[in-house]
Amino acid sequence: MSILEYNGAAIIAMAGKDCVGIASDNRLGIQFQTLAMDFKKVFKMNDKLMVGLAGLASDVQTLDQLLRFRMNLYELREEREMTPLVFTNLLSNMLYEKRFGPYFCEPVVAGLDEKGQPHIATMDLIGATLSSKDFVVAGTCEGNLYGMCETLWKPDMDKEVLFETLAQALLASVDRDALSGWGGVVHIITKEGVISRELKGRQD
Amino acid sequence: MARRYDSSTTTFSPEGRLHQVEYAIEAINNAGTSVGILAKDGVVMASEKKVTSGLLAPARISEKTYKLCPHATCSVAGLTADANILIDQARLRAGRYAYQYQEPIPIENLVEHVCNYKQAYTQYGGLRPFGVAFLFAGYDESHGFQLYQSDPSGNYSGWKATVIGANNQAGKSLLKTEYGSSKKDDGDEMKTDDGPEGGIEMPDVAEATRLAVKVLNKTMDGAVASPEKLELFTMTLDEDGSCVHKILNEAEAKAVIAEVEAESASSGDT
């Protein structure tokens, strides 16, 4: 059993035209036992930036709190908001600091940069970053997620099409994975703000 | 006499004084004035900006007022370099508390932490004290809006209204007569908090802002108040219950200054 598969998760981020979307499932379990169907894995950092955290639930929550602390400090000192690229580098740095006793977490970053262009990235648990133009995934059904995204993604999707694509890719992927699912949530970030929608999926 | 006992922070004088701490307080009396006033729906802090040169690049947002966390801001009087260290300490403390307890730090807790840090420089290490006095304005759920003042000794106290920096005694005496005075009073007795009749009635934020400008007019003695010289800060709550930290822009500051001028003209003061 891998510690990264203890609680279960599925996260996707996709780039659209002047928008990004990030989606996650809702399950929290301890191995085969499901404990919650409303466990948050995607966290809003500011109006243009969200981060999804897949992996050990305790580290998911701790990293969210730590990132919030670091972002607040940055905003107080710099008197401006952190950009997605800087955030990604910060997160990578924080993970590598624990190189020999890591956080068991694989994050997915989704945001709009200062010019309103999409920025998505993922990294492994020790901070090796992978930036992408189309989509990034993380979780216990990574293979399924990659397959669905590769099939469904197309360039320059607007926010409604992006939502549909994310929803279909996520729901189809988690159905074949015992450790993720129980519904999902999709967030679409545009320059106007964030719109979040709950997904109804198979409750098993 | 003081010569023998004043060059070390860690030595008391025979009269029981710490001269280095007192000299630090003197340093602050040359700095730009800051006045803080507690209102029933918020806190107001007004500061005098000492413009040393027209060639200076504009400061970040302010050289006097600094946000410490979502529900606290401070105003500085004294050595800016010293203040920067303490402000960073305060920000770290507020952030760590919020990380540990997932709750906003109580204001007195934050003030006490900064003050304990300052106090260490009056007792250990042979280092000089910080030459800064602060006004802290904050909000927490247990005690609502609060205003605190701290000085280089590490001492702090909560206030309804107070002044730090140049001419603070003149400012404080004006506040003694004017703060919480109801319109009927002739205002020359000191107000005490005895009860609803003849007691202090807290102003609202708008009134407090005008009073703050009035105090600065007095402490800046003679200089004409203008938005370039004054910085007006208010802290209030919005409908969701979160703190709004606002530094008035040029137009808003001009409006308040004009109101104060009109008030003093109509009441016959020169």
Side-chain angles (χ1 to χ4, degrees), chain A residues 62 65-66 68-69 72-73 76-79 103, chain B residues 60-61 67-69 88 91-92 95-96 99 102:
Chain A
T62 302
Q65 293 171 2
L66 274 174
R68 219 166 282 280
F69 169 62
N72 286 340
L73 211 51
L76 281 172
R77 286 171 171 157
E78 295 281 322
E79 289 174 354
Y103 291 110
Chain B
R60 307 132 78 77
I61 288 188
K67 184 168 165 185
L68 301 176
C69 65
D88 209 47
R91 286 171 170 169
L92 281 170
R96 287 184 184 134
Y99 172 68
Q102 292 296 301

Short mmCIF file of all heavy atoms in Angstrom, two decimals, chain A residues 62 65-66 68-69 72-73 76-79 103, chain B residues 60-61 67-69 88 91-92 95-96 99 102:
data_model
loop_
_atom_site.label_atom_id
_atom_site.label_comp_id
_atom_site.label_asym_id
_atom_site.label_seq_id
_atom_site.Cartn_x
_atom_site.Cartn_y
_atom_site.Cartn_z
N THR A 62 -2.85 20.47 5.93
CA THR A 62 -1.72 21.23 6.46
C THR A 62 -1.11 22.13 5.39
O THR A 62 -0.81 23.30 5.65
CB THR A 62 -0.64 20.29 7.01
OG1 THR A 62 -1.23 19.49 8.02
CG2 THR A 62 0.52 21.06 7.59
N GLN A 65 -3.16 25.19 4.86
CA GLN A 65 -2.95 26.18 5.92
C GLN A 65 -1.59 26.87 5.78
O GLN A 65 -1.49 28.09 5.94
CB GLN A 65 -3.07 25.51 7.29
CG GLN A 65 -4.49 25.04 7.57
CD GLN A 65 -4.58 24.17 8.81
OE1 GLN A 65 -3.59 23.94 9.51
NE2 GLN A 65 -5.77 23.67 9.11
N LEU A 66 -0.57 26.09 5.46
CA LEU A 66 0.77 26.66 5.30
C LEU A 66 0.83 27.64 4.13
O LEU A 66 1.45 28.70 4.22
CB LEU A 66 1.80 25.56 5.06
CG LEU A 66 2.38 24.90 6.28
CD1 LEU A 66 3.27 23.74 5.86
CD2 LEU A 66 3.18 25.89 7.11
N ARG A 68 -1.62 29.32 2.85
CA ARG A 68 -2.38 30.51 3.21
C ARG A 68 -1.50 31.45 4.04
O ARG A 68 -1.47 32.66 3.84
CB ARG A 68 -3.61 30.12 4.01
CG ARG A 68 -4.84 30.92 3.67
CD ARG A 68 -6.07 30.23 4.25
NE ARG A 68 -6.49 29.10 3.47
CZ ARG A 68 -7.21 29.19 2.35
NH1 ARG A 68 -7.57 30.36 1.90
NH2 ARG A 68 -7.54 28.11 1.70
N PHE A 69 -0.76 30.88 4.98
CA PHE A 69 0.14 31.66 5.84
C PHE A 69 1.18 32.38 4.99
O PHE A 69 1.39 33.59 5.12
CB PHE A 69 0.81 30.71 6.84
CG PHE A 69 1.95 31.29 7.61
CD1 PHE A 69 1.75 32.36 8.47
CD2 PHE A 69 3.23 30.76 7.52
CE1 PHE A 69 2.80 32.90 9.21
CE2 PHE A 69 4.28 31.29 8.24
CZ PHE A 69 4.07 32.36 9.09
N ASN A 72 -0.40 35.15 2.74
CA ASN A 72 -0.76 36.35 3.51
C ASN A 72 0.46 37.18 3.83
O ASN A 72 0.43 38.41 3.71
CB ASN A 72 -1.47 35.96 4.82
CG ASN A 72 -2.87 35.48 4.58
OD1 ASN A 72 -3.46 35.76 3.54
ND2 ASN A 72 -3.43 34.74 5.51
N LEU A 73 1.54 36.52 4.23
CA LEU A 73 2.77 37.23 4.56
C LEU A 73 3.32 37.96 3.33
O LEU A 73 3.74 39.12 3.42
CB LEU A 73 3.79 36.20 5.05
CG LEU A 73 4.79 36.66 6.08
CD1 LEU A 73 4.11 37.33 7.24
CD2 LEU A 73 5.60 35.46 6.55
N LEU A 76 1.21 41.04 2.62
CA LEU A 76 1.46 42.13 3.56
C LEU A 76 2.77 42.83 3.22
O LEU A 76 2.85 44.05 3.26
CB LEU A 76 1.53 41.59 4.99
CG LEU A 76 0.20 41.28 5.66
CD1 LEU A 76 0.42 40.58 6.97
CD2 LEU A 76 -0.62 42.53 5.86
N ARG A 77 3.80 42.04 2.88
CA ARG A 77 5.11 42.66 2.64
C ARG A 77 5.19 43.32 1.28
O ARG A 77 5.73 44.40 1.14
CB ARG A 77 6.21 41.59 2.73
CG ARG A 77 6.50 41.14 4.13
CD ARG A 77 7.41 39.95 4.12
NE ARG A 77 7.88 39.63 5.45
CZ ARG A 77 8.31 38.44 5.82
NH1 ARG A 77 8.34 37.45 4.94
NH2 ARG A 77 8.72 38.22 7.05
N GLU A 78 4.63 42.66 0.26
CA GLU A 78 4.75 43.18 -1.11
C GLU A 78 3.66 44.17 -1.45
O GLU A 78 3.78 44.91 -2.43
CB GLU A 78 4.65 42.02 -2.12
CG GLU A 78 5.79 41.05 -2.03
CD GLU A 78 7.02 41.58 -2.72
OE1 GLU A 78 6.87 42.22 -3.78
OE2 GLU A 78 8.12 41.36 -2.20
N GLU A 79 2.58 44.16 -0.68
CA GLU A 79 1.41 45.01 -0.94
C GLU A 79 0.83 44.73 -2.32
O GLU A 79 0.37 45.63 -3.02
CB GLU A 79 1.76 46.50 -0.75
CG GLU A 79 1.98 46.81 0.72
CD GLU A 79 2.46 48.22 1.00
OE1 GLU A 79 2.75 48.95 0.04
OE2 GLU A 79 2.54 48.58 2.18
N TYR A 103 6.00 15.98 2.50
CA TYR A 103 4.55 16.01 2.60
C TYR A 103 4.05 15.02 1.55
O TYR A 103 4.48 15.06 0.39
CB TYR A 103 4.00 17.40 2.27
CG TYR A 103 4.34 18.45 3.31
CD1 TYR A 103 5.23 19.47 3.02
CD2 TYR A 103 3.75 18.42 4.58
CE1 TYR A 103 5.54 20.44 3.97
CE2 TYR A 103 4.06 19.38 5.53
CZ TYR A 103 4.96 20.37 5.22
OH TYR A 103 5.28 21.32 6.16
N ARG B 60 5.78 52.89 -0.45
CA ARG B 60 4.91 51.82 -0.93
C ARG B 60 3.46 52.25 -0.88
O ARG B 60 2.95 52.83 -1.82
CB ARG B 60 5.14 50.54 -0.14
CG ARG B 60 6.61 50.16 -0.12
CD ARG B 60 7.07 49.83 1.26
NE ARG B 60 6.69 48.50 1.70
CZ ARG B 60 7.29 47.37 1.32
NH1 ARG B 60 8.25 47.40 0.51
NH2 ARG B 60 6.90 46.22 1.78
N ILE B 61 2.77 51.92 0.21
CA ILE B 61 1.45 52.53 0.33
C ILE B 61 1.55 53.69 1.30
O ILE B 61 0.93 54.72 1.15
CB ILE B 61 0.39 51.50 0.82
CG1 ILE B 61 0.09 50.52 -0.29
CG2 ILE B 61 -0.88 52.18 1.27
CD1 ILE B 61 -1.06 49.59 0.02
N LYS B 67 -0.32 47.53 7.54
CA LYS B 67 -1.26 46.48 7.89
C LYS B 67 -0.48 45.31 8.47
O LYS B 67 0.57 44.92 7.95
CB LYS B 67 -1.99 46.02 6.61
CG LYS B 67 -3.06 44.99 6.82
CD LYS B 67 -3.89 44.87 5.55
CE LYS B 67 -4.74 43.61 5.57
NZ LYS B 67 -5.45 43.41 4.31
N LEU B 68 -0.98 44.77 9.59
CA LEU B 68 -0.28 43.66 10.24
C LEU B 68 -0.94 42.33 9.95
O LEU B 68 -0.29 41.29 9.95
CB LEU B 68 -0.25 43.90 11.76
CG LEU B 68 0.45 45.20 12.19
CD1 LEU B 68 0.33 45.37 13.69
CD2 LEU B 68 1.90 45.19 11.77
N CYS B 69 -2.27 42.35 9.80
CA CYS B 69 -3.02 41.13 9.52
C CYS B 69 -4.41 41.60 9.10
O CYS B 69 -4.68 42.80 9.18
CB CYS B 69 -3.05 40.22 10.75
SG CYS B 69 -3.92 40.90 12.14
N ASP B 88 7.59 43.53 10.94
CA ASP B 88 7.74 42.17 10.42
C ASP B 88 7.50 41.15 11.51
O ASP B 88 6.85 40.13 11.29
CB ASP B 88 9.14 42.01 9.82
CG ASP B 88 9.14 41.01 8.72
OD1 ASP B 88 8.24 41.09 7.85
OD2 ASP B 88 10.01 40.12 8.71
N ARG B 91 3.81 40.85 12.02
CA ARG B 91 3.16 40.12 10.94
C ARG B 91 3.40 38.62 11.06
O ARG B 91 2.50 37.81 10.86
CB ARG B 91 3.68 40.61 9.58
CG ARG B 91 3.14 41.97 9.22
CD ARG B 91 3.81 42.54 8.01
NE ARG B 91 3.10 43.72 7.56
CZ ARG B 91 3.56 44.57 6.66
NH1 ARG B 91 4.73 44.36 6.10
NH2 ARG B 91 2.84 45.61 6.32
N LEU B 92 4.63 38.26 11.41
CA LEU B 92 4.94 36.84 11.57
C LEU B 92 4.14 36.24 12.71
O LEU B 92 3.59 35.15 12.60
CB LEU B 92 6.44 36.66 11.84
CG LEU B 92 7.31 36.76 10.60
CD1 LEU B 92 8.77 36.83 10.99
CD2 LEU B 92 7.08 35.57 9.69
N GLY B 95 0.54 35.80 11.72
CA GLY B 95 0.42 34.70 10.77
C GLY B 95 0.58 33.35 11.43
O GLY B 95 -0.18 32.40 11.15
N ARG B 96 1.56 33.24 12.33
CA ARG B 96 1.79 31.95 13.00
C ARG B 96 0.64 31.60 13.92
O ARG B 96 0.25 30.44 14.03
CB ARG B 96 3.09 32.00 13.80
CG ARG B 96 4.29 31.97 12.91
CD ARG B 96 5.57 31.92 13.68
NE ARG B 96 6.69 32.00 12.74
CZ ARG B 96 7.75 32.76 12.88
NH1 ARG B 96 7.87 33.52 13.95
NH2 ARG B 96 8.70 32.79 11.98
N TYR B 99 -2.11 30.35 11.82
CA TYR B 99 -1.78 29.01 11.32
C TYR B 99 -2.00 27.97 12.41
O TYR B 99 -2.58 26.91 12.16
CB TYR B 99 -0.32 28.97 10.84
CG TYR B 99 0.15 27.59 10.49
CD1 TYR B 99 -0.36 26.92 9.39
CD2 TYR B 99 1.11 26.94 11.25
CE1 TYR B 99 0.07 25.65 9.05
CE2 TYR B 99 1.54 25.67 10.93
CZ TYR B 99 1.03 25.03 9.83
OH TYR B 99 1.45 23.77 9.51
N GLN B 102 -5.95 28.52 13.64
CA GLN B 102 -6.94 28.73 12.57
C GLN B 102 -7.97 29.77 12.98
O GLN B 102 -9.15 29.66 12.67
CB GLN B 102 -7.63 27.40 12.20
CG GLN B 102 -6.70 26.41 11.52
CD GLN B 102 -6.18 26.91 10.17
OE1 GLN B 102 -6.95 27.20 9.26
NE2 GLN B 102 -4.86 27.04 10.03
#
